Amino acid sequence: MSSSLEYTKERQLELWGNYNKILSQINSISEENNISRSIKLLPVTKFKPASDIKALYDLGLREFGENYVQELLIKSELLPKDIKWHFIGGLQSNKPKDLKIIKNLTVETIDSLKKAKKLNESRIELTDIYLQINVSNEDQKYGISLNNLNELDEIIEFIIKSCQFLNLKGLMCIGSISQSQISNDINPDFEKLQNLQSILNSKYQINLQLSMGMSSDFKQAIKQGTSLIRIGTDIFGSRP
Ligand SMILES: *Cc1c(COP(=O)(O)O)cnc(C)c1O
């Protein structure tokens, strides 16, 4: 990765065009479906140079998603300090402490009591978190299993009662690829997350939001209740 923050005008216009195209898709889908909830578009920048982030930063964007602790540390060091980073990658239990120096952090991938505990211990400011749910039960390593709702209750109660620095913002999932290819149809992965959201919201009297939808399936995610879509490819192009 180049450490330069310089970008070409052409690249900036390309990224801005892609970003705005998705914004207008969000708007038109919302209108067509009478959706009034606000939907945030999070650019996902893993494997992309810091200069791409700077190009969008200079046009006013302040939130970006990264997947790897090391890459996030390098980029946050290079880039302006008022960026709000979303960590959306698999988090190993020994890694939360490495994120300590990142200000304005949201962690979307908490999936165990241990990780919640470690993250809480390493923060010095209120940090938004999402619980990652393994809705597809694919051979995905990360996410709380839907077959283990007791564990989910335990984690939520622990966060609410005992984590001074964690603000439970919502639930996150990665929809399976096979489901994303069936367009214009209810996505069962998203449906599971939405059902869980309403169960938990009434059980705990909280207001969990959903983070679901990527380049291949964000349109359906909007129709099924998401408040945050995480877009890499459709803004920055394909990754190596
Ligand atoms: C890479 C990634 C994205 C973005 O994926 P695209 O398909 O490139 O839009 C979103 N969420 C997570 C968790 C990711 O790892």
Side-chain angles (χ1 to χ4, degrees), residues 83-181:
I83 289 178
K84 295 179 176 168
W85 297 102
H86 286 233
F87 186 79
I88 62 170
L91 187 62
Q92 290 160 306
S93 309
N94 60 341
K95 288 292 179 188
K97 65 179 188 313
D98 297 342
L99 294 170
K100 189 169 192 160
I101 60 163
I102 310 280
K103 300 259 180 289
N104 302 316
L105 180 69
T106 295
V107 179
E108 296 202 21
T109 48
I110 294 297
D111 61 2
S112 72
L113 206 55
K114 190 174 175 189
K115 288 179 199 178
K117 191 161 184 234
K118 292 257 165 113
L119 185 66
N120 185 58
E121 283 166 0
S122 70
R123 300 310 292 170
I124 50 173
E125 54 175 28
L126 197 60
T127 302
D128 286 340
I129 62 160
Y130 290 75
L131 298 177
Q132 182 175 359
I133 310 294
N134 184 354
V135 283
S136 62
N137 271 323
E138 282 178 324
D139 45 355
Q140 215 169 265
K141 273 186 298 187
Y142 295 102
I144 301 157
S145 166
L146 285 175
N147 303 323
N148 201 348
L149 294 180
N150 285 341
E151 188 187 1
L152 181 59
D153 280 326
E154 240 181 287
I155 297 172
I156 292 175
E157 280 163 30
F158 177 71
I159 291 169
I160 294 175
K161 288 186 193 136
S162 319
C163 293
Q164 179 185 7
F165 293 113
L166 304 190
N167 176 42
L168 181 55
K169 184 107 193 224
L171 305 174
M172 176 270 204
C173 77
I174 300 173
S176 61
I177 293 165
S178 56
Q179 290 305 337
S180 75
Q181 285 158 350

Side-chain angles (χ1 to χ4, degrees), residues 44 46 67 88-89 108-109 132 172-174 213-216 229-235 237 239:
V44 171
K46 58 171 173 263
N67 283 65
I88 62 170
E108 296 202 21
T109 48
Q132 182 175 359
M172 176 270 204
C173 77
I174 300 173
M214 305 168 36
S215 293
S216 57
I229 61 173
R230 312 175 306 261
I231 306 294
T233 310
D234 278 4
I235 299 175
R239 290 180 293 270

Side-chain angles (χ1 to χ4, degrees), residues 156 160 168 197 200-208:
I156 292 175
I160 294 175
L168 181 55
Q197 174 194 36
L200 295 174
N201 278 348
S202 55
K203 181 165 182 181
Y204 293 101
Q205 294 298 306
I206 49 181
N207 185 21
L208 297 172

Side-chain angles (χ1 to χ4, degrees), residues 6 8 38 49 51 53 68 115 142-143 157 168 178 185 238:
E6 281 169 39
T8 64
S38 75
S51 58
I53 300 174
Y68 302 97
K115 288 179 199 178
Y142 295 102
E157 280 163 30
L168 181 55
S178 56
D185 216 342
S238 56

